[in-house]
Amino acid sequence: MMKVNRKKGFLKTGIRITLCVISVLVLCQFSFAKGKVELSLWSAYPELVPVYEEAIKDYCKLNPNVSIKVSAFPLRDQEKKVAVGFVGNNVPDIIEQQLDIMLKYHQQGYTANPPAEVADYIARTVKPSYVDLAKVDGEIAFYPFFSGNKMLFWNKKMFREAGINGPPKTYEEFADCAQKLTKYDKSGNIESSGLSLRISGQGSGIATKFSVYLNLFGGKIVEEYPGGKWKAVYNSEAGYKTLELYIDHLYKWRANDWNIKQDTEAFALEQTAMIDREAWVIGFMEQNAPHVEYDTAFLPDMGEWGTLTTLVGLWVPQGSQNQEAAWDFLKYLNSPRYLENMVYDAGWVPVSQELDWDPIYKKYPQFIPAVEQPEGYEFWAKPIYPVADEVMSRLADRLIAAFRSPELADNRTGIIKVMDEAAKETDAILKRAGILYEGK
């Protein structure tokens, strides 16, 4: 059985992940000889602690002179801790974190490339597309660990009751399903939504979720130009369509409402029929809502067909005194046994090509859209540039305000104004950072 507890403990049956630090110290039969090594690892995904714990226990049996301490923090707390740690030279031997967050530190020399032997091992065992993402200036910069690929979760019972045979495959079907699946009370208030898009929250996540549909409409947040220059390009037809999707689903289709539950919580409570989320929700549903009849699907084709992928890697700081041991443990951690534990215990998708997915698919076929890449289905990675988080955070602020603006319904002029003004702010941020492309 899966043992996922992700994000907030939404249902009473879930175990709440607290904001305190989770520390796990696996004690080994230490060798007090000269070769004693103490490693430390900071995780941004507390649900992975049991995976680390088992791997550490086994690794220490083989290497009794090694001890490894894992400290896990909520994602944003860990991000802040890493930033402060690098400035104060107080970081662990291994950092687990997203590529887009860590790249700037690597470019500034704070993290080390793996030695040649480890880099060769990564190139042989990790899926080629993720090996490419792990390269900086042509060299592998970290150990690619797992990915979060968006897919569509849909409630089979709610679809059946609405007379819909299966998940939407096009934008037109997507819009039609969202409307047909929404349920209203006698007063016309929404009781359960047909579609729950991310319309509130904190930080850059709102803009990241927005970019999923922007990509599907054929757009992107920024365009890269020669010389490391960038420019906002979401003030385009694709960008206008994406904002219209959000506005329509709230005010024109009335397929969602601010006064009802949203996202994974709503899906588990059968208060929404569709969400787009990563594979960890599969385990969350088994633990918290095993009675819900649901399935997953590839995101619909809206002109482009694919999904947003977020790569999480394991990084070794340049200042670590135990780099050799750290890289050796990371190779051991990425053995199929522990990667399988990651799937079953945490619901995340390892990027190793050594893992046999067939037995997992037999038990949990819902993983297929998060792992497989059928012909024509693209994996879009978040663009990596120095001020990406600031750009996305400021865009998120503007999007949240737009989502609260019913006057934007059937108002293409208003939509264009919102996106054009946001793009001007993005370009101003890029210019301040010295990376704005100002050509035509």
Side-chain angles (χ1 to χ4, degrees):
M1 173 180 286
M2 287 187 164
K3 298 176 284 186
V4 174
N5 288 285
R6 180 66 180 150
K7 305 291 182 185
K8 298 177 182 177
F10 292 122
L11 307 181
K12 291 183 179 179
T13 54
I15 301 173
R16 188 176 298 272
I17 294 176
T18 62
L19 295 181
C20 63
V21 175
I22 303 172
S23 293
V24 176
L25 177 60
V26 179
L27 298 177
C28 312
Q29 296 296 318
F30 289 134
S31 168
F32 291 97
K34 185 177 180 180
K36 180 178 176 181
V37 175
E38 297 180 358
L39 293 175
S40 55
L41 185 155
W42 288 354
S43 170
Y45 295 82
E47 65 270 26
L48 288 177
V49 167
V51 178
Y52 287 121
E53 188 174 16
E54 184 169 356
I56 291 169
K57 182 179 179 181
D58 294 341
Y59 183 81
C60 287
K61 287 180 181 178
L62 298 173
N63 301 274
N65 63 315
V66 178
S67 66
I68 306 174
K69 179 180 180 180
V70 177
S71 298
F73 312 85
L75 179 64
R76 294 306 174 192
D77 288 358
Q78 196 253 35
E79 181 182 353
K80 294 175 184 176
K81 191 172 180 68
V82 168
V84 173
F86 275 129
V87 173
N89 195 27
N90 181 26
V91 288
D93 299 289
I94 301 168
I95 298 171
E96 169 218 89
Q97 187 50 276
Q98 296 176 12
L99 167 59
D100 55 308
I101 292 173
M102 289 296 295
L103 179 63
K104 58 181 177 288
Y105 299 118
H106 185 79
Q107 292 174 326
Q108 294 168 15
Y110 285 114
T111 61
N113 287 346
E117 178 268 329
V118 177
D120 289 344
Y121 182 81
I122 291 171
R124 293 196 310 270
T125 59
V126 171
K127 293 179 179 179
S129 58
Y130 291 103
V131 173
D132 290 341
L133 282 177
K135 290 181 179 179
V136 178
D137 296 328
E139 295 186 4
I140 295 173
F142 59 96
Y143 206 119
F145 194 27
F146 67 90
S147 67
N149 299 337
K150 299 288 184 183
M151 55 184 174
L152 186 71
F153 286 77
W154 59 285
N155 186 299
K156 296 171 74 172
K157 184 183 76 171
M158 296 172 78
F159 268 68
R160 211 166 37 242
E161 291 173 349
I164 305 173
N165 293 327
K169 296 182 179 180
T170 66
Y171 173 72
E172 291 73 21
E173 292 178 358
F174 188 62
D176 187 57
C177 286
Q179 295 170 75
K180 289 181 177 178
L181 289 161
T182 304
K183 297 179 181 179
Y184 307 88
D185 63 20
K186 293 180 180 179
S187 301
N189 299 312
I190 296 177
E191 289 185 325
S192 63
S193 64
L195 169 66
S196 181
L197 297 178
R198 179 67 74 86
I199 55 176
S200 62
Q202 296 180 345
S204 59
I206 296 287
T208 299
K209 307 303 186 295
F210 182 88
S211 72
V212 174
Y213 293 95
L214 178 64
N215 292 153
L216 289 170
F217 280 122
K220 57 180 72 173
I221 297 293
V222 290
E223 183 75 64
E224 183 177 11
Y225 292 87
K229 302 296 184 179
W230 299 81
K231 186 173 179 60
V233 292
Y234 57 85
N235 55 330
S236 62
E237 183 62 23
Y240 307 148
K241 285 183 177 179
T242 306
L243 182 53
E244 283 176 337
L245 165 61
Y246 279 75
I247 298 301
D248 286 352
H249 114 283
L250 283 167
Y251 304 112
K252 188 175 178 180
W253 308 339
R254 292 198 65 241
N256 196 6
D257 189 277
W258 295 94
N259 298 317
I260 61 175
K261 293 187 182 298
Q262 304 290 332
D263 204 57
T264 308
E265 179 183 12
F267 193 74
L269 293 169
E270 296 191 280
Q271 293 183 14
T272 191
M274 294 188 291
I275 61 171
D276 64 272
R277 265 304 195 172
E278 302 89 353
W280 64 264
V281 174
I282 298 168
F284 180 88
M285 293 298 291
E286 176 167 321
Q287 182 177 10
N288 295 288
H291 61 285
V292 174
E293 187 183 357
Y294 79 97
D295 207 344
T296 61
F298 295 102
L299 295 175
D301 186 335
M302 298 182 177
E304 298 291 336
W305 193 40
T307 188
L308 182 70
T309 184
T310 298
L311 178 59
V312 176
L314 297 158
W315 308 71
V316 176
Q318 194 72 255
S320 169
Q321 301 301 307
N322 302 301
Q323 290 189 30
E324 182 179 0
W327 290 115
D328 187 66
F329 171 67
L330 294 185
K331 285 178 59 180
Y332 185 84
L333 172 66
N334 280 272
S335 303
R337 172 183 175 182
Y338 307 112
L339 298 180
E340 186 174 283
N341 289 349
M342 183 195 298
V343 176
Y344 286 122
D345 291 353
W348 288 109
V349 176
V351 296
S352 170
Q353 53 187 356
E354 301 286 289
L355 183 62
D356 182 5
W357 280 95
D358 287 343
I360 299 173
Y361 290 160
K362 288 178 181 178
K363 188 172 184 181
Y364 300 105
Q366 295 96 337
F367 274 104
I368 292 174
V371 180
E372 300 300 320
Q373 189 174 7
E375 185 176 355
Y377 193 74
E378 298 185 60
F379 282 179
W380 298 302
K382 289 190 255 183
I384 308 298
Y385 53 100
V387 288
D389 191 63
E390 183 181 359
V391 164
M392 297 298 274
S393 295
R394 295 299 302 139
L395 175 57
D397 291 342
R398 288 179 176 269
L399 289 174
I400 291 171
F403 299 159
R404 290 279 190 179
S405 304
E407 67 273 13
L408 291 176
D410 286 326
N411 181 358
R412 174 52 82 97
T413 300
I415 293 283
I416 292 173
K417 182 179 179 182
V418 169
M419 299 305 283
D420 285 355
E421 289 181 353
K424 288 178 182 177
E425 182 177 34
T426 293
D427 283 346
I429 294 170
L430 296 171
K431 186 170 185 176
R432 190 171 66 246
I435 57 173
L436 174 66
Y437 175 74
E438 300 188 69
K440 295 183 179 180

Coordinates of all heavy atoms in Angstrom, one line a residue, residues 223-257:
E223 N 11.0 33.8 -24.0 CA 11.8 33.2 -25.1 C 13.3 33.5 -24.9 O 13.6 34.6 -24.4 CB 11.4 33.9 -26.4 CG 12.1 33.3 -27.6 CD 11.5 32.0 -28.0 OE1 10.3 31.9 -28.4 OE2 12.3 31.0 -28.0
E224 N 14.1 32.5 -25.1 CA 15.6 32.7 -25.0 C 16.2 33.2 -26.3 O 15.8 32.6 -27.3 CB 16.2 31.5 -24.5 CG 17.7 31.6 -24.2 CD 18.4 30.4 -23.7 OE1 17.7 29.3 -23.7 OE2 19.5 30.4 -23.2
Y225 N 17.1 34.1 -26.2 CA 17.8 34.6 -27.4 C 19.3 34.4 -27.2 O 19.8 34.2 -26.1 CB 17.5 36.1 -27.6 CG 16.0 36.3 -28.0 CD1 15.0 36.5 -27.0 CD2 15.7 36.4 -29.3 CE1 13.7 36.7 -27.4 CE2 14.3 36.6 -29.7 CZ 13.4 36.7 -28.7 OH 12.1 36.9 -29.1
P226 N 20.1 34.5 -28.3 CA 21.5 34.4 -28.1 C 22.1 35.3 -27.1 O 21.6 36.4 -26.9 CB 22.1 34.7 -29.5 CG 20.9 34.3 -30.4 CD 19.7 34.7 -29.7
G227 N 23.2 34.9 -26.5 CA 23.9 35.7 -25.5 C 23.3 35.7 -24.1 O 23.6 36.6 -23.3
G228 N 22.4 34.7 -23.8 CA 21.8 34.6 -22.5 C 20.7 35.7 -22.3 O 20.5 36.1 -21.1
K229 N 20.1 36.1 -23.3 CA 19.1 37.2 -23.2 C 17.7 36.5 -23.3 O 17.5 35.5 -23.9 CB 19.2 38.2 -24.3 CG 20.6 38.9 -24.4 CD 20.8 39.8 -23.1 CE 22.1 40.5 -23.3 NZ 22.3 41.4 -22.1
W230 N 16.7 37.2 -22.7 CA 15.4 36.7 -22.6 C 14.3 37.8 -22.8 O 14.6 39.0 -22.5 CB 15.1 36.0 -21.2 CG 16.1 34.9 -20.9 CD1 17.4 35.0 -20.5 CD2 15.8 33.5 -21.0 NE1 17.9 33.8 -20.3 CE2 17.0 32.8 -20.6 CE3 14.7 32.8 -21.4 CZ2 17.0 31.4 -20.6 CZ3 14.7 31.4 -21.4 CH2 15.9 30.7 -21.0
K231 N 13.1 37.4 -23.2 CA 12.1 38.4 -23.4 C 10.7 37.7 -23.1 O 10.5 36.5 -23.5 CB 12.1 38.9 -24.8 CG 11.1 40.1 -25.0 CD 11.3 40.7 -26.3 CE 10.2 41.8 -26.6 NZ 10.4 42.9 -25.5
A232 N 9.8 38.4 -22.5 CA 8.4 37.9 -22.2 C 7.7 37.7 -23.6 O 7.8 38.6 -24.4 CB 7.7 38.9 -21.3
V233 N 7.1 36.6 -23.7 CA 6.3 36.3 -25.0 C 4.9 35.8 -24.7 O 4.3 35.3 -25.6 CB 7.1 35.4 -25.9 CG1 8.4 36.0 -26.4 CG2 7.4 34.1 -25.2
Y234 N 4.5 35.9 -23.4 CA 3.1 35.4 -23.1 C 2.0 36.4 -23.4 O 0.8 36.0 -23.3 CB 3.1 34.9 -21.7 CG 3.4 36.0 -20.6 CD1 2.4 36.9 -20.2 CD2 4.7 36.0 -20.1 CE1 2.7 37.8 -19.2 CE2 5.0 37.0 -19.1 CZ 4.0 37.9 -18.7 OH 4.3 38.8 -17.8
N235 N 2.4 37.6 -23.8 CA 1.4 38.5 -24.3 C 1.2 38.3 -25.8 O 1.5 39.0 -26.7 CB 1.8 40.0 -24.1 CG 3.2 40.3 -24.6 OD1 4.0 39.5 -24.7 ND2 3.4 41.6 -25.0
S236 N 0.6 37.1 -26.0 CA 0.4 36.6 -27.4 C -1.0 35.9 -27.5 O -1.7 35.9 -26.5 CB 1.5 35.5 -27.6 OG 1.3 34.4 -26.7
E237 N -1.3 35.4 -28.6 CA -2.6 34.8 -28.8 C -2.8 33.6 -27.8 O -3.8 33.4 -27.2 CB -2.8 34.3 -30.2 CG -4.2 33.7 -30.5 CD -5.4 34.6 -30.3 OE1 -5.2 35.8 -30.3 OE2 -6.5 34.1 -30.0
A238 N -1.7 32.8 -27.6 CA -1.7 31.7 -26.7 C -1.9 32.2 -25.3 O -2.7 31.6 -24.5 CB -0.4 30.9 -26.8
G239 N -1.3 33.3 -24.9 CA -1.5 33.9 -23.6 C -2.9 34.4 -23.3 O -3.4 34.2 -22.3
Y240 N -3.4 35.0 -24.3 CA -4.8 35.5 -24.2 C -5.8 34.4 -24.0 O -6.7 34.4 -23.2 CB -5.2 36.4 -25.4 CG -4.2 37.5 -25.7 CD1 -4.0 37.9 -27.1 CD2 -3.4 38.1 -24.7 CE1 -3.1 38.9 -27.4 CE2 -2.5 39.1 -25.0 CZ -2.3 39.5 -26.3 OH -1.4 40.5 -26.6
K241 N -5.6 33.3 -24.8 CA -6.5 32.1 -24.7 C -6.4 31.5 -23.4 O -7.4 31.0 -22.8 CB -6.1 31.1 -25.8 CG -6.6 31.5 -27.2 CD -6.2 30.4 -28.2 CE -6.7 30.7 -29.6 NZ -6.3 29.6 -30.6
T242 N -5.1 31.5 -22.8 CA -5.0 30.8 -21.5 C -5.7 31.6 -20.4 O -6.4 31.0 -19.6 CB -3.5 30.7 -21.2 OG1 -2.8 30.1 -22.2 CG2 -3.3 29.9 -19.9
L243 N -5.5 32.9 -20.4 CA -6.3 33.7 -19.4 C -7.8 33.6 -19.6 O -8.5 33.5 -18.6 CB -5.8 35.1 -19.4 CG -6.5 36.1 -18.4 CD1 -6.3 35.5 -17.0 CD2 -5.9 37.5 -18.4
E244 N -8.2 33.5 -20.9 CA -9.6 33.4 -21.1 C -10.1 32.0 -20.6 O -11.3 31.9 -20.1 CB -9.9 33.5 -22.7 CG -9.9 34.9 -23.2 CD -10.0 35.0 -24.7 OE1 -9.7 34.0 -25.4 OE2 -10.5 36.0 -25.1
L245 N -9.3 31.0 -20.7 CA -9.7 29.7 -20.2 C -10.0 29.8 -18.7 O -11.1 29.3 -18.2 CB -8.6 28.7 -20.4 CG -8.7 27.4 -19.6 CD1 -9.9 26.6 -19.9 CD2 -7.4 26.5 -19.8
Y246 N -9.2 30.5 -17.9 CA -9.4 30.6 -16.5 C -10.6 31.5 -16.2 O -11.5 31.1 -15.3 CB -8.2 31.3 -15.8 CG -7.1 30.3 -15.5 CD1 -6.2 29.8 -16.5 CD2 -6.8 29.9 -14.2 CE1 -5.2 28.9 -16.3 CE2 -5.8 29.0 -13.9 CZ -5.0 28.5 -15.0 OH -4.0 27.7 -14.7
I247 N -10.8 32.6 -16.9 CA -11.9 33.5 -16.7 C -13.2 32.8 -17.1 O -14.2 32.8 -16.4 CB -11.7 34.8 -17.5 CG1 -10.5 35.5 -17.1 CG2 -13.0 35.6 -17.4 CD1 -10.5 35.9 -15.6
D248 N -13.2 32.1 -18.3 CA -14.4 31.4 -18.7 C -14.8 30.3 -17.7 O -16.0 30.1 -17.4 CB -14.2 30.7 -20.1 CG -14.1 31.7 -21.2 OD1 -14.5 32.9 -21.0 OD2 -13.8 31.3 -22.3
H249 N -13.9 29.6 -17.2 CA -14.2 28.4 -16.3 C -14.8 29.0 -15.0 O -15.6 28.3 -14.3 CB -13.0 27.5 -16.1 CG -12.4 27.4 -14.8 ND1 -11.6 28.4 -14.3 CD2 -12.5 26.4 -13.8 CE1 -11.2 28.0 -13.1 NE2 -11.7 26.8 -12.8
L250 N -14.5 30.2 -14.6 CA -15.0 30.8 -13.4 C -16.3 31.5 -13.6 O -17.3 31.4 -12.9 CB -14.0 31.8 -12.8 CG -12.8 31.2 -12.1 CD1 -11.8 32.3 -11.8 CD2 -13.3 30.6 -10.7
Y251 N -16.4 32.3 -14.7 CA -17.6 33.2 -14.9 C -18.5 33.0 -16.1 O -19.7 33.3 -16.0 CB -17.0 34.7 -15.0 CG -16.1 35.1 -13.8 CD1 -14.8 35.3 -14.0 CD2 -16.7 35.2 -12.5 CE1 -14.0 35.6 -12.9 CE2 -15.9 35.5 -11.5 CZ -14.5 35.7 -11.6 OH -13.7 36.0 -10.6
K252 N -18.0 32.3 -17.1 CA -18.8 32.1 -18.3 C -19.4 30.7 -18.2 O -20.6 30.5 -18.3 CB -18.0 32.3 -19.6 CG -18.8 32.2 -20.8 CD -17.9 32.5 -22.0 CE -18.6 32.4 -23.3 NZ -17.7 32.7 -24.5
W253 N -18.5 29.7 -18.0 CA -19.0 28.3 -17.9 C -19.6 28.1 -16.5 O -20.5 27.2 -16.3 CB -17.9 27.3 -18.1 CG -17.1 27.4 -19.3 CD1 -17.5 28.1 -20.5 CD2 -15.8 26.9 -19.6 NE1 -16.5 28.0 -21.4 CE2 -15.5 27.3 -20.9 CE3 -14.9 26.2 -18.8 CZ2 -14.2 26.9 -21.5 CZ3 -13.7 25.8 -19.4 CH2 -13.4 26.2 -20.7
R254 N -19.2 28.9 -15.5 CA -19.5 28.6 -14.1 C -19.2 27.2 -13.7 O -20.0 26.5 -13.1 CB -21.0 29.0 -13.8 CG -21.2 30.5 -13.9 CD -22.5 30.9 -13.2 NE -22.4 30.7 -11.8 CZ -23.2 29.9 -11.1 NH1 -24.2 29.3 -11.7 NH2 -23.1 29.8 -9.8
A255 N -18.0 26.7 -14.0 CA -17.6 25.4 -13.7 C -16.8 25.3 -12.4 O -16.3 24.3 -12.0 CB -16.8 24.8 -14.9
N256 N -16.6 26.5 -11.8 CA -15.8 26.5 -10.5 C -16.2 27.8 -9.8 O -16.9 28.7 -10.4 CB -14.3 26.5 -10.8 CG -13.5 26.2 -9.5 OD1 -14.1 25.8 -8.5 ND2 -12.2 26.3 -9.6
D257 N -15.9 27.8 -8.5 CA -16.3 29.0 -7.7 C -15.3 29.2 -6.6 O -14.7 28.2 -6.1 CB -17.7 28.7 -7.1 CG -18.3 29.9 -6.5 OD1 -18.0 30.1 -5.3 OD2 -19.1 30.6 -7.1

